[in-house]
Amino acid sequence: MIEFVLDGRSKVATYMQLVLQVKQALRVGIAQPGDQLPKVREVARTLAINPNTVLKAYRQLELEGLAEGRPGVGTFLVATLAGDSLPQQAELREELVAWLRRAQAAGLAREDVAALIDTTLRATLDRPVPDDAH
Amino acid sequence: MTEDAHETALETDALGKRYGRAWALRGCALRLPAGRIAALVGPNGAGKSTLLHLAVGLLRPDAGQVRVFGRDPRGDSETLADIGFVAQDTPLYRDFTADELITMGARLNRRWDADLARDRLTGIGIPTRKPVGGLSGGQRAQVALALALAKRPRLLLLDEPAAALDPLARHEFMGALMSAVAESGTTVLLSSHLLADLERVCDYLILLQTAHVQLAGDVDELLAQHRTLTGPRTDRPEAVPGVRSVIRASHTDRQTTLLARTTTTGTVPTDPAWSAHEVSLEDLVLAYLGAADTHRTEVTA
């Protein structure tokens, strides 16, 4: 289940922070359709915020078709924001971790790695795919 | 949030209270819709405690009227049963245990949910068999809140309940209060100096200053109606396009900064030399408190 946190310095309205956290969790697969969102009362208690703020966030998620309220039970997620790529992400991430370890062993510092990834990202993805790529 | 079809929890009309020759509260006109969590804000001596004591029937008005759910709270036991009150510094009989206080409450109140109070306290690990004088400030505040909630009040008044608590105890207290509101839908009027605590909790603001209501209304609406405006120095800030009234103005040799109530179209300045920024609840309260010299009474119900 999602555990909400608030960014006290954020200028984003509290209810919107809750909405964005649910969306982020849906995007990365931490939350899935069928999951129940924390009870309004619990969120109000742990974050010490107005329960109406939590209700407003849940209503917004319902409006966007991501959640559904079931009277007397709670609010449940009914859709996902994760793309089809989600199942492959774990494997890709493992390869990336292995690559990062190799880069580290080769003596690249954090900034070097970030710069290398950034330039490679731009050179590879922002360029039209050449015809003989396959 | 705009038009309120709900009933009114607390309403005052030209309400005044005098101590000797000094008015502690004067010409107070308010309407707090039911279901709100309202912040009662103002400097010391502005009349916050006086207003709360009038609302709970502990003081007799010297002028005007106060009504809770449409009735005068004084001497009306039915209305008094609907009001919960947590006084400043949460006074309790220190030699009694929470259990004993809960039992005592059952004898003193016609409606009393002892199980609710006990469950609430054991749920957050407060010892109910120790004299409350031996508990920490945070625990005592939780006992006082549990006792007030055991009445199942429709209006809960709290006078600086968390002022003396450390940040963690304050967070836990506000959390317990919000959880109770989520469950019961109780209307809350909470006086506090701690603006940061109020921002996440309150959806209605009542600002008292020198015995007068200076500002009252729905928080979202108030924030939407006010902007901080910056632009070239001017000695006539009221004349800046989009400004309905100036709450506070400050100047450097070249620049003027205003916190202003804007016209409906004034949220985006028409004059390109001026820029507008949204305000926080804290900005708003500080600006109105800073404008102490002007005895303005603005009420939006």
Side-chain angles (χ1 to χ4, degrees):
Chain A
M1 191 182 274
I2 293 175
E3 188 182 356
F4 290 114
V5 288
L6 287 182
D7 180 352
R9 291 186 179 175
S10 173
K11 285 233 159 191
V12 178
T14 307
Y15 89 95
M16 193 41 86
Q17 288 192 40
L18 302 182
V19 169
L20 292 175
Q21 273 172 56
V22 172
K23 287 187 177 175
Q24 176 65 14
L26 284 172
R27 215 165 269 132
V28 299
I30 293 175
Q32 289 163 353
D35 286 0
Q36 183 173 7
L37 290 172
K39 291 229 188 312
V40 171
R41 184 188 157 195
E42 270 311 294
V43 181
R45 187 182 62 78
T46 50
L47 298 180
I49 59 174
N50 191 321
N52 286 326
T53 306
V54 188
L55 284 172
K56 192 172 171 186
Y58 287 7
R59 220 173 293 138
Q60 177 67 28
L61 289 165
E62 285 174 26
L63 277 177
E64 295 187 30
L66 295 172
E68 206 177 82
R70 296 183 201 157
V73 192
T75 306
F76 291 80
L77 294 171
V78 292
T80 183
L81 289 170
D84 300 335
S85 67
L86 193 66
Q88 278 123 55
Q89 277 188 19
E91 195 186 326
L92 287 164
R93 186 172 186 279
E94 267 172 43
E95 288 174 27
L96 187 56
V97 171
W99 181 85
L100 286 172
R101 295 279 171 243
R102 285 208 334 264
Q104 213 172 18
L108 274 76
R110 191 194 181 88
E111 290 80 16
D112 302 329
V113 171
L116 183 59
I117 289 176
D118 193 42
T119 51
T120 314
L121 207 61
R122 265 183 283 153
T124 314
L125 296 186
D126 296 352
R127 194 166 291 172
V129 181
D131 287 338
D132 58 344
H134 40 85
Chain B
M1 286 292 225
T2 43
E3 257 308 306
D4 218 310
H6 293 288
E7 60 184 327
T8 301
L10 173 68
E11 191 170 18
T12 69
D13 184 19
L15 183 66
K17 178 70 196 170
R18 201 171 47 191
Y19 297 116
R21 268 187 297 171
W23 288 90
L25 194 69
R26 194 166 200 186
C28 173
L30 281 177
R31 189 188 156 272
L32 173 61
R36 296 310 192 97
I37 303 178
L40 180 58
V41 179
N44 290 329
K48 301 192 296 289
S49 293
T50 301
L51 175 59
L52 291 174
H53 283 82
L54 285 164
V56 76
L58 288 170
L59 284 176
R60 192 171 44 132
D62 291 313
Q65 289 173 18
V66 56
R67 282 180 299 275
V68 174
F69 294 107
R71 304 166 74 145
D72 185 346
R74 284 190 61 254
D76 178 351
S77 56
E78 211 165 300
T79 305
L80 282 179
D82 282 338
I83 310 173
F85 184 45
V86 178
Q88 209 161 358
D89 305 322
T90 57
L92 297 168
Y93 297 103
R94 303 176 65 88
D95 295 336
F96 285 76
T97 68
D99 261 337
E100 289 164 345
L101 289 169
I102 291 168
T103 308
M104 188 174 4
R107 290 164 188 274
L108 296 173
N109 294 276
R110 55 168 71 180
R111 184 170 61 215
W112 190 255
D113 194 336
D115 290 341
L116 177 83
R118 281 205 186 88
D119 292 350
R120 187 167 280 288
L121 291 176
T122 47
I124 49 177
I126 310 271
T128 56
R129 293 183 182 171
K130 242 171 94 174
V132 290
L135 302 178
S136 72
Q139 290 175 325
R140 263 203 309 280
Q142 293 279 12
V143 173
L145 178 63
L147 290 170
L149 289 168
K151 282 181 81 174
R152 291 198 170 278
R154 294 167 71 202
L155 173 64
L156 180 61
L157 307 166
L158 302 103
D159 194 1
E160 299 270 2
L165 305 184
D166 65 68
L168 179 63
R170 213 159 66 209
H171 182 87
E172 285 173 349
F173 181 88
M174 294 310 277
L177 177 61
M178 289 306 105
S179 149
V181 171
E183 227 171 302
S184 61
T186 305
T187 308
V188 175
L189 178 58
L190 170 78
S191 84
S192 180
H193 281 304
L194 303 160
L195 293 177
D197 283 0
L198 297 175
E199 185 130 35
R200 282 179 181 172
V201 162
C202 296
D203 50 29
Y204 203 90
L205 175 73
I206 298 169
L207 199 148
L208 291 183
Q209 174 116 333
T210 54
H212 290 77
V213 177
Q214 204 179 22
L215 184 70
D218 177 274
V219 169
D220 285 347
E221 284 175 19
L222 290 175
L223 295 182
Q225 289 161 357
H226 291 81
R227 287 290 182 275
T228 299
L229 301 169
T230 52
R233 165 146 199 164
T234 171
D235 293 323
R236 291 185 53 242
E238 311 75 28
V240 172
V243 169
R244 206 174 102 189
S245 58
V246 175
I247 313 307
R248 193 165 66 175
S250 60
H251 309 276
T252 67
D253 52 346
R254 299 216 178 138
Q255 200 185 43
T256 291
T257 303
L258 308 173
L259 197 141
R261 185 181 275 245
T262 56
T263 58
T264 32
T265 54
T267 46
V268 180
T270 43
D271 184 340
W274 286 82
S275 58
H277 309 272
E278 292 190 9
V279 296
S280 68
L281 183 61
E282 190 165 359
D283 297 335
L284 191 70
V285 168
L286 290 176
Y288 272 88
L289 293 182
D293 348 309
T294 49
H295 282 267
R296 169 198 341 255
T297 305
E298 290 197 49
V299 180
T300 55

